[in-house]
Amino acid sequence: MEEAKVRAKEEIRARLKYSKAVLEARKKEQALVKLKKYDDAEIVRRKLDQLEAHERQKMELTMEEQAEKKVGNLKNKQQLAMSALLKRIQRDRNEQLKQRQIDSQCLIQRNKNLLNDLLLKHTCELKKTIECIKQALDGAKINDAKDISTPETKATKT
């Protein structure tokens, strides 16, 4: 900021010039010196010094005000840019969070679907296994019944 302030002062200083009265007084002083009227030139010189000092002071004040104004404008622009940047960052952050939540919900739903599929397959396999066991048990009962009736039939046949 200080650098900007110094630069602004230099720009303003290059543009500022003394008033017409000061310039005319300088010419008058030079003319009096050429005419060798040194006493009159000295009087004009003193007035010129006072006038120049007053104008220089006024210019410095103006320069300071303008430099402050430029620095203020620069700070304002920087604040606006910073604010816009922070808004953009916050918007992007919110967008990322939203996308992360959507992705998370998709993964949760996918896992639920996989779990339901596995449970369905497990249930089907369980039913098939129970059916197989029942058929095997039913087949064993029929075979046992045949085995039990077989010794009697053997005795009758002999």
Side-chain angles (χ1 to χ4, degrees), residues 45-86:
R45 182 75 198 154
R46 285 185 191 145
K47 287 181 182 178
L48 178 63
D49 287 344
Q50 288 176 353
L51 191 57
E52 281 181 347
H54 176 69
E55 283 192 18
R56 207 174 305 117
Q57 189 178 26
K58 210 162 96 174
M59 282 189 246
E60 287 292 325
L61 184 62
T62 303
M63 213 174 11
E64 188 69 32
E65 288 173 356
Q66 288 178 350
E68 289 293 326
K69 188 176 180 181
K70 280 189 175 188
V71 169
N73 288 339
L74 181 62
K75 281 183 181 180
N76 193 22
K77 283 181 184 179
Q78 286 178 343
Q79 268 189 323
L80 290 174
M82 182 66 81
S83 176
L85 185 61
L86 288 174

Side-chain angles (χ1 to χ4, degrees), residues 61-136:
L61 184 62
T62 303
M63 213 174 11
E64 188 69 32
E65 288 173 356
Q66 288 178 350
E68 289 293 326
K69 188 176 180 181
K70 280 189 175 188
V71 169
N73 288 339
L74 181 62
K75 281 183 181 180
N76 193 22
K77 283 181 184 179
Q78 286 178 343
Q79 268 189 323
L80 290 174
M82 182 66 81
S83 176
L85 185 61
L86 288 174
K87 282 180 183 179
R88 197 172 93 208
I89 288 169
Q90 187 62 39
R91 184 194 69 222
D92 290 347
R93 186 177 293 149
N94 289 341
E95 202 172 289
Q96 283 180 340
L97 287 173
K98 190 186 228 182
Q99 188 60 43
R100 193 177 298 158
Q101 285 177 340
I102 291 170
D103 292 345
S104 178
Q105 289 299 320
C106 287
L107 287 174
I108 289 170
Q109 188 61 45
R110 191 166 111 201
N111 286 340
K112 282 181 182 180
N113 292 342
L114 286 172
L115 183 62
N116 287 338
D117 287 346
L118 287 173
L119 286 174
L120 187 62
K121 285 180 184 179
H122 178 65
T123 305
C124 288
E125 289 293 322
L126 184 63
K127 285 181 182 178
K128 285 180 185 178
T129 305
I130 290 173
E131 268 309 304
C132 287
I133 291 173
K134 280 184 182 179
Q135 286 177 0

Side-chain angles (χ1 to χ4, degrees), residues 137-152:
L137 287 177
D138 286 342
K141 284 183 186 179
I142 293 173
N143 285 340
D144 285 341
K146 286 183 183 178
D147 286 340
I148 295 173
S149 64
T150 312
E152 293 176 5

